[in-house]
Amino acid sequence: MLAEKKSKKGAFIALCCVAVLLILVIVLENTLDPIKNTTFFTVLRKGAVYALVASSMNLLNGFTGLFSLGQAGFMLVGAYTYAILTIPAASRDSVYYLYGGSAIHFSLPELFGGGAVGLILGVLAALVLAGLVAAGVAWLIGLPVLRLKSDYLAIATLGFAEIIRAVLQWDKLGPVTNGANALKNFPTFSSFNLGSGLRLSIFVAFLLSAVCIAVILLLINSSYGRAFKAIREDEIAAEAMGINLAKHKRLSFCISSFFAGVGGGLFAMAMNMAQAKTFTTALTYEILLIVVIGGIGSISGSCIAAFLYVAASEWWLRFLDTEIILKSGFKVPLLRNGFRMVVFSVVIMIVVLFFRKGIMGDKELPDLFRKRAAKGKEGSK
């Protein structure tokens, strides 16, 4: 009974934090100058997307103990599915001009009647379908590769991700995927800005990511989540307890891929385009790095680390790429294009060395609040 009360209290605290965050995002987006703060807004949008994808990877790697490196591939499938289903019919000829037009002649937002309602319903339907297609691909891939373990599973999933990227760039699929060319003109986060001057692009990014992450947290705290954790701790003991290893591994793999697919659709919305060359293995390594920095087995850690990673790599250290010459004529050494990534790599090494379990370890934010509350009570006694 006491544990149930603590769980409800933790969920309430988390819900309040998310509500405050969403309100703060709306205020910031509509008070700050969008031109002067372009980088800041980009960091917020991209950070929200990375938080979702990192959480989906943490579900598989951190909570189930399956070391997969196929996240970029599933993001790619999701991004292409979303883009293909939402490009307006009038824009398809200009997007697929190299292939004489598109093989698909409809757009989900238009099928739902167009306008604001059609945009919302069409985008949501496209994102769900993006996740389902990614989950379907994961199910097919999982049949052979989930029999593998550890490094072998990682190599196999990495290989399949590269195969997916090559297939989607295949010229014969050009009327559907546009070959190696970018897909554009589909609804992005900016499409949700209202004509009255109310900007909601960042709010929509945060809201969609928050809903998906909340679903992941509910899953982790359910009986399925406990089964995933049991598999992570000891597969033999889990099987002895009656847990079907093959079923639960495949379930975790498909659910993780579903949210990676949704994240891929959101990534395309944030980047205003979808192109296969963007979803390389380097993207998977970025997501894995976020998971490790945040803490393997902590969704809160993945979310915090996502924003820190994006802000540090694309904003805070940007000045290191610019040469600085003082009035005296002295040229500051080392500052040049590319030096930012050198410093960023050193910062990551320091973080990993001093935070072996990541920023949050395996704890969540409500756990920290409860610890502080307990210490406060002890101190008052």
Side-chain angles (χ1 to χ4, degrees):
M1 193 70 178
L2 183 62
E4 187 177 345
K5 284 184 178 180
K6 286 183 178 180
S7 179
K8 287 182 178 179
K9 187 177 179 181
F12 178 74
I13 292 172
L15 189 62
C16 289
C17 290
V18 171
V20 171
L21 181 62
L22 291 175
I23 293 170
L24 180 62
V25 163
I26 293 178
V27 172
L28 286 174
E29 188 175 8
N30 288 278
T31 54
L32 297 178
D33 187 341
I35 298 176
K36 293 181 179 179
N37 297 279
T38 302
T39 305
F40 176 57
F41 287 168
T42 302
V43 166
L44 290 179
R45 289 192 197 93
K46 196 172 178 181
V49 176
Y50 271 38
L52 170 58
V53 180
S55 297
S56 71
M57 188 180 223
N58 213 342
L59 172 66
L60 187 64
N61 291 21
F63 289 92
T64 315
L66 299 177
F67 188 30
S68 169
L69 291 177
Q71 221 68 2
F74 300 124
M75 287 179 69
L76 173 60
V77 171
Y80 267 61
T81 302
Y82 171 79
I84 290 167
L85 293 176
T86 55
I87 296 175
S91 301
R92 288 186 178 270
D93 287 341
S94 62
V95 174
Y96 291 87
Y97 68 95
L98 290 176
Y99 299 94
S102 171
I104 297 173
H105 304 288
F106 67 89
S107 170
L108 286 180
E110 293 171 354
L111 286 180
F112 283 103
V117 175
L119 174 66
I120 294 170
L121 294 178
V123 167
L124 289 177
L127 287 174
V128 171
L129 287 172
L132 290 174
V133 173
V137 172
W139 185 81
L140 292 174
I141 292 174
L143 291 176
V145 304
L146 288 180
R147 298 176 183 179
L148 304 173
K149 294 183 180 181
S150 188
D151 299 342
Y152 300 101
L153 175 60
I155 294 169
T157 51
L158 186 63
F160 271 109
E162 287 299 304
I163 291 171
I164 291 170
R165 192 159 66 93
V167 168
L168 288 179
Q169 294 181 91
W170 189 25
D171 203 52
K172 290 187 177 181
L173 291 178
V176 178
T177 64
N178 206 24
N181 305 297
L183 294 170
K184 299 179 180 179
N185 298 339
F186 48 80
T188 63
F189 290 128
S190 300
S191 303
F192 291 89
N193 291 332
L194 302 181
S196 59
L198 182 64
R199 294 189 293 270
L200 296 174
S201 61
I202 300 176
F203 169 76
V204 170
F206 270 70
L207 179 63
L208 292 174
S209 295
V211 170
C212 292
I213 292 170
V215 173
I216 293 174
L217 284 170
L218 289 173
L219 176 68
I220 289 170
N221 292 314
S222 68
S223 57
Y224 287 103
R226 288 190 286 273
F228 295 158
K229 293 174 187 176
I231 293 172
R232 176 192 65 188
E233 297 300 328
D234 192 325
E235 289 190 9
I236 297 174
E239 192 171 25
M241 292 167 60
I243 295 173
N244 187 325
L245 295 183
K247 173 187 171 183
H248 283 84
K249 282 183 179 181
R250 191 173 297 115
L251 183 63
S252 176
F253 191 54
C254 290
I255 292 173
S256 173
S257 302
F258 172 85
F259 287 109
V262 174
L266 296 179
F267 188 80
M269 293 176 72
M271 297 293 105
N272 300 328
M273 60 177 286
Q275 192 169 17
K277 68 178 184 180
T278 308
F279 298 87
T280 60
T281 53
L283 180 59
T284 296
Y285 297 145
E286 284 184 12
I287 304 302
L288 179 61
L289 185 60
I290 289 170
V291 172
V292 173
I293 291 174
I296 297 177
S298 171
I299 299 298
S300 302
S302 295
C303 295
I304 294 169
F307 286 98
L308 291 176
Y309 177 88
V310 175
S313 61
E314 299 194 10
W315 183 22
W316 295 337
L317 302 178
R318 180 67 66 179
F319 71 95
L320 295 173
D321 280 348
T322 307
E323 291 185 352
I324 298 177
I325 301 176
L326 302 179
K327 291 182 179 180
S328 60
F330 176 75
K331 184 179 178 181
V332 179
L334 300 178
L335 296 184
R336 65 191 67 182
N337 188 32
F339 185 61
R340 167 176 57 96
M341 296 311 297
V342 174
V343 175
F344 183 59
S345 301
V346 173
V347 171
I348 290 173
M349 289 173 61
I350 293 172
V351 171
V352 172
L353 285 172
F354 288 94
F355 294 89
R356 296 292 179 89
K357 293 184 178 181
I359 296 171
M360 296 290 292
D362 59 353
K363 305 295 182 184
E364 303 291 351
L365 283 176
D367 298 331
L368 299 182
F369 290 136
R370 282 197 291 267
K371 273 187 176 181
R372 288 186 178 182
K375 285 183 179 179
K377 287 181 180 179
E378 289 178 2
S380 61
K381 289 179 181 179

